[in-house]
Amino acid sequence: MAFGEFDLIDTYFTQRSTKRHDVAVGVGDDGAVVSLPEHSELVIVTDTMVADVHFDSDTPARAVGHKIIAVNLSDLAAMGAEPTWISLAITLPQVDHDWLEDFAVGLREICDYYGCQLIGGDTTQGPLSLTVTAHGVVPADSALKRSGARPGDWIYLSGPLGDAGLALAARQQKAKLTDEHYKRVTDRLYFPSPRVALGQSLRGIASSAIDISDGLAADLGHILKASGVGARVSLEAVPLSLPLTESVSQEQALTLALVSGDDYELCFTVPESRRGVFDTLIAHSPTKPICIGRINNESGKLKLELDGEPWELPDKSNGFQHFSERK
């Protein structure tokens, strides 16, 4: 008997989904039915990954399953939301059971870890493409936005940037890495960790937030545009990993951090009036966010400084380029 669409859904997704108490109807009906907590608001995000655009044929299927969820959860984290429900639309050239098994494992692992349930979607035949819509909940009027930054706010990063770009550069033979460094940055590219807990803890503290999917320069620029402000960033404060600093020049490392993307750290701003609360919040955290600069009133202008001197990005065409999930 032929293995059809509904066999695929049941075998690889329905039977393996995390079960949440707030899902009345999940995969297998014409639509999902869920319950929204009282005094909460729904946050909805969508991202697409297309073969040979966002990942190549060498990318492990487990990594693809992990990442298509992670990039959506990172958007939820940037808004301070708790992940709840996932919908997946998957287009496949053919049914490859080995690939689907590994893909489903990657998807299930991250959904289980963050407690979100696959509640529906669609399958069809065609060039390999994946689209996920992720839902999350926040207490009413508490969602973080890009538009709240004000002059005097401090700018923070949740972790190091540039590793994913370095991994791609190494895969394209544009950078030489030790085996240990290559494994570390490739894991960062394939299996990013959305900063879900941090995002939720920033509600009521951060004035704005965004996840770093397209590089610090572009994504901080989105905050500046939405908020009508400018910023000064001290590049020596930008966190960079050991694999990055030991593998390329300082200029290349900073360029990767600023433009390569795919790191999925959070960039956020904290008003001076909430800085003490924030410092208390992170006092016992093993990985503390790093302050890299301050918001000013020069609308739309991002000033980069290195050791107190102005610093300009090199021509991007001469630097490492990295595919990234576009908003």
Side-chain angles (χ1 to χ4, degrees):
M1 196 170 187
F3 187 89
E5 174 186 359
F6 298 108
D7 299 306
L8 185 155
I9 294 169
D10 189 56
T11 300
Y12 294 107
F13 302 111
T14 305
Q15 298 179 18
R16 306 183 182 196
S17 178
T18 299
K19 305 300 180 185
R20 290 178 56 95
H21 66 83
D22 51 14
V23 178
V25 178
V27 176
D29 216 307
D30 286 331
V33 180
V34 298
S35 300
L36 190 65
E38 190 176 3
H39 306 303
S40 294
E41 294 175 333
L42 189 62
V43 179
I44 305 170
V45 300
T46 301
D47 265 289
T48 295
M49 287 171 50
V50 178
D52 299 322
V53 176
H54 299 96
F55 62 94
D56 58 33
S57 59
D58 293 334
T59 304
R62 177 170 163 258
V64 177
H66 174 100
K67 193 167 185 178
I68 187 58
I69 302 298
V71 300
N72 280 275
L73 298 192
S74 185
D75 283 331
L76 291 179
M79 300 198 73
E82 173 197 347
T84 51
W85 314 298
I86 300 290
S87 297
L88 168 68
I90 181 169
T91 302
L92 297 164
Q94 68 272 329
V95 176
D96 181 332
H97 291 284
D98 290 338
W99 191 93
L100 278 167
E101 175 67 30
D102 289 345
F103 172 82
V105 166
L107 185 145
R108 183 177 69 253
E109 286 173 340
I110 188 170
C111 284
D112 286 351
Y113 185 83
Y114 290 103
C116 47
Q117 179 176 338
L118 181 67
I119 59 171
D122 190 29
T123 58
T124 188
Q125 187 172 19
L128 180 57
S129 175
L130 311 148
T131 296
V132 160
T133 296
H135 305 75
V137 295
V138 294
D141 300 317
S142 69
L144 303 176
K145 303 173 185 176
R146 300 177 181 182
S147 57
R150 297 293 179 264
D153 291 358
W154 298 93
I155 306 167
Y156 286 85
L157 285 174
S158 62
L161 302 182
D163 285 355
L166 179 62
L168 187 70
R171 288 172 57 79
Q172 296 174 340
Q173 299 183 334
K174 294 179 179 178
K176 289 186 177 181
L177 282 67
T178 66
D179 290 344
E180 181 180 359
H181 286 348
Y182 181 77
K183 182 181 185 307
R184 284 185 60 186
V185 298
T186 301
D187 281 347
R188 288 264 289 165
L189 173 64
Y190 283 163
F191 298 99
S193 299
R195 305 307 182 193
V196 172
L198 175 61
Q200 292 175 52
S201 71
L202 291 174
R203 295 192 302 240
I205 296 176
S207 53
S208 69
I210 194 169
D211 75 320
I212 304 296
S213 58
D214 297 331
L216 176 61
D219 289 319
L220 177 54
H222 294 319
I223 287 180
L224 303 186
K225 181 178 180 180
S227 299
V229 295
R232 181 184 62 81
V233 168
S234 299
L235 294 176
E236 67 273 10
V238 173
L240 305 173
S241 71
L242 195 63
L244 184 59
T245 57
E246 288 190 348
S247 301
V248 297
S249 69
Q250 183 185 45
E251 181 179 82
Q252 290 172 319
L254 291 173
T255 300
L256 283 168
L258 288 164
V259 305
S260 65
D262 258 16
D263 290 303
Y264 300 102
E265 297 290 347
L266 294 184
C267 177
F268 56 95
T269 58
V270 176
E272 177 64 30
S273 62
R274 304 298 289 164
R275 205 175 185 197
V277 176
F278 177 67
D279 286 344
T280 302
L281 172 72
I282 66 172
H284 300 292
S285 173
T287 54
K288 292 179 174 59
I290 303 296
C291 183
I292 63 166
R294 204 165 190 182
I295 297 295
N296 58 43
N297 60 7
E298 298 183 54
S299 181
K301 293 184 179 180
L302 175 59
K303 291 186 176 180
L304 304 174
E305 295 180 357
L306 182 61
D307 298 323
E309 297 296 328
W311 193 88
E312 298 289 338
L313 267 172
D315 183 351
K316 293 181 184 179
S317 65
N318 296 324
F320 298 124
Q321 293 296 305
H322 183 49
F323 58 79
S324 57
E325 287 71 28
R326 301 295 170 187
K327 301 298 189 227

